[in-house]
Amino acid sequence: MPLPSDDVQRLYEAILGDVEGLTRRILDAIRTEIPPYQEFPYDIHYADNVVNLTMQLRSLASGDEPSPEAAEHARAMARTRVGMDLPLAQAIAGYHVGFRELWKEVVQRAGEDAALQSQLPLEVERIWGWFHLVSSAYAEEFVLTSRTRALSRADALRRLVAGTGEDLSVAQLETTAAELGFDLGTPFRSFVTAQHPREVLDRLDIGFSDHADATSAVSVGGHCVVVTQQCSVPAGVARLRAAGVRGCIAVGLSRRGVTGIRDSYVDGLRLLELPDDGSDVREFESEWPLTLLNSERERMRELLEPGVVVAAENPHLAQVVVAFAENEYSISATARALHIHPNTARYRITRWEELTGWNLFTVRGLLSSVAALQNGRSGLAPGGPDRARP
């Protein structure tokens, strides 16, 4: 920058003499107009801006470009604000307020001096250029530090979600959870979906950023996982949908202790392994019996094969079994649900018992029947002799 006139130099030196007062006025404007700054520590905010404004005024008075020290100071400010979760947009807005207030100070001090006023158009360009270069250094460092921090947090969360006890002790997991801001006395819940593009994970970060009891999303083994605390199922599902998550959302059980993070994640995995029934949301709390049956389907193949075969050949009988289980084991309620006569419902239940040997009015018979139907939906192929149709 060209060396300013003696009058302009004296103007900047006069402002520099009141740098602390001007800094307080600028901070009052920033903290009034940009609410997130009200939570930012005032002493840090003040100290940073006194140094920043002092270097700026000295550069303007001497006609120098922003020094490497000024750029590094801006980068240090960015690292501090990332650590305190101050958004980049709010910080850049703070630079704009600072530019406005400094320019107001320059205009006020120039007063009615015609010689000074004639030089102000050049000065506004110089002041704005200084702000632009320094705020650009700030923004570059903010993005770099934020990405590094996000990757570090993602790695930490991934250890909590997928760690095995052989990798980290419970004490180490608790330390990691505390560093991520979790309250170890509050239950954890995982929301699990199929993997989504990076931009969806980024939107999830933003969607949960205003929720004090949630952490960012992370990809684990081909799935997208969000771990929350004190976030209701409807609220969590709504945030995932708003971020662009499509397909079934599996909701793990709310579990206590740091190991509950992984357990709730596994709940979600088991739900996603179930046969697709078109559900938008599946909750472990209500569907845990199906996950147990599904996980043991190979071991139960021969035991459940009679029901699988009968259901495949007689879907109308299987339909009655399902309706019977879902209607409090009432023949009349089953008939109403299927829009058939009670005698027809009773006949089909009897026919199911004849073909399978399982009495639906006993615990063993009902559980075997439901398990067989679940295994049949999982793709268990019949392997026994042909069965007669009713």
Side-chain angles (χ1 to χ4, degrees), residues 293-315:
L293 292 173
N294 191 59
S295 65
E296 295 293 323
R297 63 182 181 275
E298 291 301 323
R299 295 184 64 242
M300 300 172 68
R301 179 184 293 271
E302 293 184 0
L303 174 66
L304 301 179
E305 188 176 13
V308 173
V309 172
V310 172
E313 297 180 349
N314 304 276

Side-chain angles (χ1 to χ4, degrees), residues 232-247:
S232 69
V233 173
V237 169
R239 283 181 166 86
L240 266 68
R241 293 299 187 211
V245 171
R246 299 294 176 261

Side-chain angles (χ1 to χ4, degrees), residues 92-124:
I92 297 301
Y95 272 104
H96 292 171
V97 173
F99 165 77
R100 184 193 71 205
E101 294 301 311
L102 175 57
W103 180 244
K104 285 168 58 177
E105 186 74 13
V106 169
V107 172
Q108 180 179 342
R109 287 179 179 269
E112 300 299 324
D113 189 321
L116 272 178
Q117 288 182 356
S118 68
Q119 299 177 66
L120 291 188
L122 177 60
E123 294 311 306
V124 72

Side-chain angles (χ1 to χ4, degrees), residues 292-294 296-312 352 356 358 364-376 378 380-384 387:
L292 294 179
L293 292 173
N294 191 59
E296 295 293 323
R297 63 182 181 275
E298 291 301 323
R299 295 184 64 242
M300 300 172 68
R301 179 184 293 271
E302 293 184 0
L303 174 66
L304 301 179
E305 188 176 13
V308 173
V309 172
V310 172
W352 175 266
T356 63
W358 297 333
R364 176 182 176 277
L366 183 62
L367 288 178
S368 297
S369 299
V370 173
L373 295 178
Q374 172 63 24
N375 271 26
S378 300
L380 179 60
R387 303 279 175 159

Side-chain angles (χ1 to χ4, degrees), residues 65-73:
E65 298 284 345
S67 66
E69 292 76 17
E72 178 51 39
H73 179 68

Side-chain angles (χ1 to χ4, degrees), residues 53-295:
L53 188 56
T54 297
M55 289 190 292
Q56 181 178 13
L57 289 168
R58 286 175 178 169
S59 293
L60 291 169
S62 63
D64 294 331
E65 298 284 345
S67 66
E69 292 76 17
E72 178 51 39
H73 179 68
R75 292 181 184 277
M77 289 171 60
R79 291 191 290 271
T80 299
R81 283 147 181 76
V82 168
M84 295 186 177
D85 297 320
L86 184 72
L88 175 58
Q90 312 306 324
I92 297 301
Y95 272 104
H96 292 171
V97 173
F99 165 77
R100 184 193 71 205
E101 294 301 311
L102 175 57
W103 180 244
K104 285 168 58 177
E105 186 74 13
V106 169
V107 172
Q108 180 179 342
R109 287 179 179 269
E112 300 299 324
D113 189 321
L116 272 178
Q117 288 182 356
S118 68
Q119 299 177 66
L120 291 188
L122 177 60
E123 294 311 306
V124 72
E125 181 180 347
R126 282 157 34 89
I127 293 173
W128 176 250
W130 201 97
F131 269 103
H132 174 70
L133 289 173
V134 173
S135 63
S136 294
Y138 178 101
E140 289 172 2
E141 185 66 23
F142 189 100
V143 171
L144 177 62
T145 303
S146 295
R147 176 57 64 187
T148 301
R149 184 186 187 216
L151 291 174
S152 177
R153 287 178 61 84
D155 287 341
L157 182 57
R158 196 173 288 112
R159 287 197 298 274
L160 292 175
V161 170
T164 63
E166 300 175 358
D167 301 323
L168 294 172
S169 67
V170 171
Q172 289 173 312
L173 291 173
E174 289 178 342
T175 298
T176 299
E179 290 173 348
L180 288 172
F182 282 122
D183 175 5
L184 298 178
T186 303
F188 299 88
R189 186 192 302 279
S190 294
F191 293 80
V192 186
T193 73
Q195 183 61 282
H196 283 74
R198 177 70 248 178
E199 57 266 25
V200 173
L201 297 182
D202 290 342
R203 287 198 293 271
L204 279 171
D205 285 344
I206 296 172
F208 280 94
S209 62
D210 63 345
H211 198 284
D213 298 310
T215 192
S216 36
V218 65
S219 58
V220 181
H223 294 91
C224 170
V225 186
V226 175
V227 180
T228 68
Q229 291 187 295
Q230 296 183 345
C231 178
S232 69
V233 173
V237 169
R239 283 181 166 86
L240 266 68
R241 293 299 187 211
V245 171
R246 299 294 176 261
C248 182
I249 296 175
V251 184
L253 191 66
S254 178
R255 296 180 180 274
R256 292 190 175 275
V258 70
T259 56
I261 296 176
R262 175 170 172 77
D263 291 339
S264 187
Y265 161 64
V266 172
D267 293 343
L269 292 183
R270 298 294 176 263
L271 289 168
L272 292 179
E273 291 170 356
L274 293 174
D276 183 10
D277 64 355
S279 297
D280 289 331
V281 179
R282 305 191 81 155
E283 297 184 49
F284 190 81
E285 184 174 356
S286 60
E287 299 200 45
W288 64 267
L290 298 183
T291 67
L292 294 179
L293 292 173
N294 191 59
S295 65

